């Protein structure tokens, strides 16, 4: 089979898988053209997509680096990888169930010293959100789960039923920026004293009851921030980000690009400060005759302000409205 035939047959299989899941209508990769452009996709390039999800960005990357570019796809969610696997030609895309921060070990296994680009598209996929048994969504009833990697023990039910009121309030405030964090944490502790909260609908009811009617927003739904905060805590989305970005940088060739798409201000702040740290280089006090800190500039930030989707993309895909993209280019070895 020729390269084009192989790609077409994968495309047909992918269309079948995606429409079976209803994903063709709901999951649209955000800032797609921008990601492909800033990654510098071209024939022969090696690109890692460490949040490969359903393979939307990956498919475009594979296409833009045809005929001989290679994609390394990583995701911690086996269900998402199954969709990506059906969608991407295995002769050009190698997929791993792993954490983003494990990229250096994956490249070792592949015998690839470095890659030319790394993409992070953070947050949840539509597949995760739309599957009731995954427990990510407050709109549909399901178990209080929210794990991206279902091999891990910690679920949202563990957090809700076992963490102290103080810890719960902290999670809701830090990761959800929920102004009713204390009231919601109190209501959760009160409700679980009668019996453990196990379903998403039960948690939605508790959250609603904790927010005074006059302050309850119609939009966004009053449980939005609580669910977001619990999801971030269950999946260590904030705690692991710095280490994952460092791991990605260490895998880049000189001139290689790191492209990061975030959907949450806390994540964007971390990405911004990590990139600044890379760009900053020496942190010795001014006036020292020689550098003692040994830190050198390892990357150049290519986006002085984050890139955001054009109004037409936001109109077409509401999920894109909070997206921000930052790009850095490696300039030196990190040692
Ligand atoms: C927004 S989705 C990616 C969608 C993908 N770009 C597409 O076009 O189909 C984010 C994905 O990243 C995965 N993920 C999030 N954090 C991760 C991490 N630290 N390591 C590996 N996968 C991660 C999630 O499981 C999810 O499938």
């Amino acid at each position: 089979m020729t390269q084009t035939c192989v790609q077409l047959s994968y495309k047909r299989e992918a269309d079948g898988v995606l429409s079976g899941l209803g994903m063709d209508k709901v999951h649209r990769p955000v800032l797609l053209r921008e990601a492909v452009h800033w990654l510098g996709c071209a024939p022969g390039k090696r690109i890692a997509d460490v949040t490969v999800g359903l393979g939307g960005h990956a498919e475009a990357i594979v296409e833009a680096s045809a005929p001989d570019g290679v994609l390394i796809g990583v995701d911690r969610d086996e269900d998402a990888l199954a969709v990506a696997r059906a969608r991407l030609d295995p002769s050009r895309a190698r997929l791993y169930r792993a954490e983003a921060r494990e990229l250096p070990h994956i490249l070792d296994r592949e015998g690839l010293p470095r890659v030319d680009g790394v993409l992070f598209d953070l947050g949840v996929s539509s597949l995760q959100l739309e599957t009731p048994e995954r427990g990510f969504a407050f709109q549909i009833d399901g178990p209080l789960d929210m794990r991206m990697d279902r091999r891990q023990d910690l679920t949202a039910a563990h957090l809700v039923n076992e963490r102290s009121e103080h810890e719960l309030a902290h999670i809701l405030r830090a990761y959800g920026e929920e102004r009713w964090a204390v009231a919601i944490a109190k209501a959760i502790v009160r409700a679980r004293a009668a019996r453990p909260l196990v379903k998403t609908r039960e948690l939605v009811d508790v959250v609603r009851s904790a927010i005074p009617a006059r302050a309850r927003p119609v939009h966004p739904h009053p449980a939005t921030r609580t669910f977001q905060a619990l999801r971030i805590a269950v999946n260590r989305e904030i705690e692991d980000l710095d280490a994952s970005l460092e791991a990605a940088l260490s895998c880049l060739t000189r001139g290689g690009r790191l492209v990061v798409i975030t959907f949450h201000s806390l994540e964007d702040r971390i990405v911004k400060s990590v990139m600044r740290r890379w760009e900053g280089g020496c942190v010795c006090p001014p006036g020292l005759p020689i550098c003692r800190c040994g830190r050198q500039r390892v990357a150049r930030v290519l986006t002085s302000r984050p890139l955001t989707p054009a109004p037409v993309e936001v109109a077409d895909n509401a999920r894109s409205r909070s997206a921000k993209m930052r790009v850095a280019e490696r300039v030196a070895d990190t040692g």
Side-chain angles (χ1 to χ4, degrees), residues 29 50-57 75-76 98-100 121 123-124 128 148:
V50 291
T51 53
V52 71
L54 310 177
H57 285 98
D75 204 290
R76 42 162 68 144
E99 292 292 320
D121 173 25
V124 260
Q128 289 162 337
M148 289 176 174

Side-chain angles (χ1 to χ4, degrees), residues 27-30 32 49-59 74-78 80-81 84 87 96 98-102 119-126 128 134 136 148-149 235-237 240-241 244 261 263 319:
H27 194 92
R28 306 222 189 94
V30 170
L32 180 63
D49 179 347
V50 291
T51 53
V52 71
L54 310 177
H57 285 98
E59 189 175 58
V74 179
D75 204 290
R76 42 162 68 144
D77 185 336
E78 186 54 39
L81 279 175
R87 197 169 185 182
Y96 285 86
E99 292 292 320
R101 64 171 185 276
E102 294 177 279
L119 173 66
F120 284 76
D121 173 25
L122 296 164
V124 260
S125 71
S126 302
Q128 289 162 337
R134 304 296 300 268
F136 282 96
M148 289 176 174
D149 180 348
N235 297 293
R236 300 180 55 81
E237 291 174 44
D240 290 353
L241 186 52
S244 302
I261 305 171
F263 294 85
R319 199 181 85 84

Side-chain angles (χ1 to χ4, degrees), residues 22-45:
M23 289 299 126
D24 51 338
K25 290 179 197 65
V26 288
H27 194 92
R28 306 222 189 94
V30 170
L31 290 164
L32 180 63
R33 274 194 309 150
E34 293 83 349
V36 169
H37 167 77
W38 285 98
L39 282 166
C41 296
K45 292 280 182 186

Side-chain angles (χ1 to χ4, degrees), residues 53-110:
L54 310 177
H57 285 98
E59 189 175 58
I61 292 166
V62 166
E63 239 171 77
S65 53
D68 52 351
V70 171
L71 176 109
I72 304 294
V74 179
D75 204 290
R76 42 162 68 144
D77 185 336
E78 186 54 39
D79 295 356
L81 279 175
V83 177
R85 230 172 251 129
R87 197 169 185 182
L88 301 167
D89 170 3
S91 70
R92 303 268 317 284
R94 313 220 222 291
L95 301 179
Y96 285 86
R97 182 181 193 178
E99 292 292 320
R101 64 171 185 276
E102 294 177 279
L103 184 62
H105 308 295
I106 293 170
L107 294 190
D108 267 0
R109 248 177 90 173
E110 284 287 334

Side-chain angles (χ1 to χ4, degrees), residues 254-273:
R254 274 185 199 213
R257 303 264 179 92
L258 175 67
V259 174
V260 188
I261 305 171
T262 61
F263 294 85
H264 188 285
S265 56
L266 206 52
E267 276 173 348
D268 180 58
R269 249 177 278 149
I270 293 172
V271 176
K272 182 177 167 185
S273 92

